[in-house]
Amino acid sequence: MGIHLVLGESADEVAPHPLAWPPSSARMELAALLALRPRQSASSRFPGATDLPHRHGTRGPPGTQASGPLLPEKDADGSGGHVSQPKAPPVTVVIPVRNEEATIASILSALSRQVRADDRVIVVETGSTDHTPRILDEAAQAYPHVSVVHAEGAYPGTARNVGIRSATTEWLALLDAGTRVDEGWLDAMRAPLTGSAHDIDVVIGRWDPRIDDTFGALATLAYVPKLVPDGTRGPTTGIMMVRREAWEKVGGFPDYRAGEDLAFFRRLEEANANFVPAPDARVEWELARGWGATWRRFVSYSGHVLRAGMWRTWHRGTLRNMLLITACLAIGTTLHPLAYVGVPALYALRAGRQSRGKWDEVAHLEQSQVKMFVGVMVFLAVLDLATIWGMVPRPQSPGSR
């Protein structure tokens, strides 16, 4: 459901179910994986999107300012002036779903308490095999603002495009299923639009991982991006709002199974789009639970991103790390066993880089930091292996895309 433009080069240097496309919150893990680049400022990861004051936007290269602040200028005497703020425009929330029976009902219920009379919620159903279609039919009857659009077999980007084309509003809020939506999320997302919003193209909300056990803490330390000064974790399509004109200008989302968000944000940057943060617009998402689920997800992500032609954003760095490890093992075998120390040393350096600035998020578990640090090293090694395994070509099953 993270963020994506100047990317890191390995699973630890880049900041995201073996289903036809990763479901809902799982997609945010790909965003996270592709988003994080330690030792870079947030603005260098995503020019014009992070490292910004809460109520100002940036257009173009880092450091440039939008044409004006979103709040009215003060009068000469320092008072707030008497500029009346226009009402925030109506919004259509677009949610692509597949097999989301566990969360979609609660999401639609939460949104029903937040929408205005002129807002809409469009759910794009892409071929669920669980009870999601029945839940959506019931929701469409219970909530007049909810409509369901069917796009059988559509990938996430295509599903979002279908939902956006079905909407009539200028502003489109994109939300992934599988998340927990905070009360007031929609108002917080549109809050930047109540001022001089004519220069805003994209609003980025905040997502936080659900951390209720040691494994979730390790995953957070290993690949979830840390919070940046603007209060978000960087852009992700799982919690953003985009102006229709900006979406049209970049041609919408590409038809990728994974990595379509990476390509979309890259297009927006090239189009000189203006981003503003909305850190009070929060959702919570659940990380993959257990080693098996994590392995399957990242093998899938690796293969799809590679086939989308974006190997430089992820695989190049992982391959470099593997070459360093291979060199250490070869030298240790042929010349001196001390070279073996290079392998854990490499992962220790990476674990320190990845976990920096995130320990406070896992402090409530009261776990030993030494044990957690070693766990992060192991986690990064598993992600490396999953990345390599995902690069191996595999025949697609009949009927799959």
Side-chain angles (χ1 to χ4, degrees):
M1 125 191 200
I3 201 172
H4 299 100
L5 296 178
V6 182
L7 303 168
E9 299 177 336
S10 70
D12 63 302
E13 293 177 324
V14 297
H17 298 105
L19 301 174
W21 56 286
S24 61
S25 59
R27 301 193 52 72
M28 285 192 182
E29 289 172 356
L30 178 59
L33 188 66
L34 292 175
L36 190 57
R37 184 169 187 171
R39 298 183 298 178
Q40 282 192 328
S41 68
S43 60
S44 63
R45 282 206 322 273
F46 193 87
T50 53
D51 284 358
L52 303 178
H54 174 42
R55 295 285 293 177
H56 291 70
T58 299
R59 181 185 298 276
T64 60
Q65 289 293 323
S67 59
L70 299 184
L71 294 179
E73 297 285 347
K74 289 186 177 182
D75 290 340
D77 61 359
S79 65
H82 300 285
V83 179
S84 60
Q85 295 293 340
K87 180 182 177 182
V91 172
T92 298
V93 182
V94 177
I95 312 173
V97 299
R98 178 175 294 182
N99 295 332
E100 301 292 354
E101 63 179 4
T103 59
I104 189 60
S106 62
I107 290 176
L108 295 178
S109 176
L111 290 177
S112 72
R113 298 187 293 273
Q114 303 182 34
V115 294
R116 300 185 324 208
D118 50 358
D119 294 329
R120 295 293 179 267
V121 177
I122 296 178
V123 185
V124 184
E125 214 295 303
T126 62
S128 298
T129 57
D130 61 2
H131 293 103
T132 299
R134 177 181 59 81
I135 295 172
L136 293 179
D137 289 341
E138 294 175 355
Q141 295 178 12
Y143 306 125
H145 58 273
V146 173
S147 60
V148 180
V149 177
H150 294 273
E152 187 76 20
Y155 289 163
T158 301
R160 293 189 186 98
N161 291 337
V162 169
I164 291 172
R165 292 190 187 101
S166 301
T168 59
T169 57
E170 177 189 15
W171 283 97
L172 301 313
L174 306 181
L175 180 66
D176 276 354
T179 56
R180 297 182 180 182
V181 182
D182 273 12
E183 294 294 333
W185 170 79
L186 188 54
D187 282 342
M189 284 295 288
R190 71 169 125 222
L193 308 183
T194 58
S196 302
H198 61 280
D199 269 349
I200 300 176
D201 298 305
V202 180
V203 179
I204 300 297
R206 167 175 169 172
W207 52 273
D208 292 312
R210 181 181 178 185
I211 308 172
D212 53 11
D213 57 21
T214 301
F215 189 87
L218 292 177
T220 299
L221 294 171
Y223 63 80
V224 172
K226 66 180 180 181
L227 293 170
V228 295
D230 70 8
T232 74
R233 297 181 190 272
T236 175
T237 51
I239 174 172
M240 67 172 290
M241 192 159 59
V242 61
R243 188 192 295 270
R244 180 181 296 275
E245 181 182 358
W247 170 81
E248 292 174 344
K249 185 174 182 179
V250 301
F253 290 89
D255 188 31
Y256 298 157
R257 186 178 299 181
E260 83 291 341
D261 43 4
L262 166 66
F264 182 69
F265 281 116
R266 180 168 289 158
R267 292 175 181 179
L268 286 172
E269 187 219 23
E270 291 171 352
N272 204 27
N274 183 32
F275 293 75
V276 296
D280 294 330
R282 300 187 182 189
V283 301
E284 182 184 63
W285 57 283
E286 188 170 322
L287 304 167
R289 289 187 173 273
W291 293 108
T294 300
W295 175 269
R296 290 190 296 272
R297 285 187 180 181
F298 282 94
V299 167
S300 176
Y301 298 158
S302 175
H304 298 324
V305 172
L306 182 67
R307 285 188 285 277
M310 294 179 286
W311 68 276
R312 289 182 180 85
T313 65
W314 179 1
H315 300 84
R316 182 170 60 182
T318 301
L319 290 172
R320 183 189 60 206
N321 291 334
M322 291 295 99
L323 286 175
L324 290 173
I325 291 171
T326 301
C328 290
L329 295 177
I331 294 172
T333 301
T334 59
L335 297 179
H336 198 289
L338 187 62
Y340 290 133
V341 178
V343 177
L346 174 64
Y347 279 106
L349 288 173
R350 293 169 60 190
R353 211 161 53 227
Q354 283 299 99
S355 60
R356 187 180 303 122
K358 292 186 283 186
W359 287 100
D360 287 346
E361 296 192 61
V362 302
H364 64 281
L365 296 179
E366 299 181 349
Q367 298 287 329
S368 166
Q369 282 201 6
V370 174
K371 292 181 179 179
M372 294 280 284
F373 188 85
V374 173
V376 174
M377 293 171 58
V378 174
F379 213 113
L380 292 174
V382 170
L383 293 185
D384 280 347
L385 294 174
T387 301
I388 298 298
W389 187 244
M391 297 174 67
V392 177
R394 294 173 180 79
Q396 291 185 330
S397 59
S400 68
R401 294 185 61 199

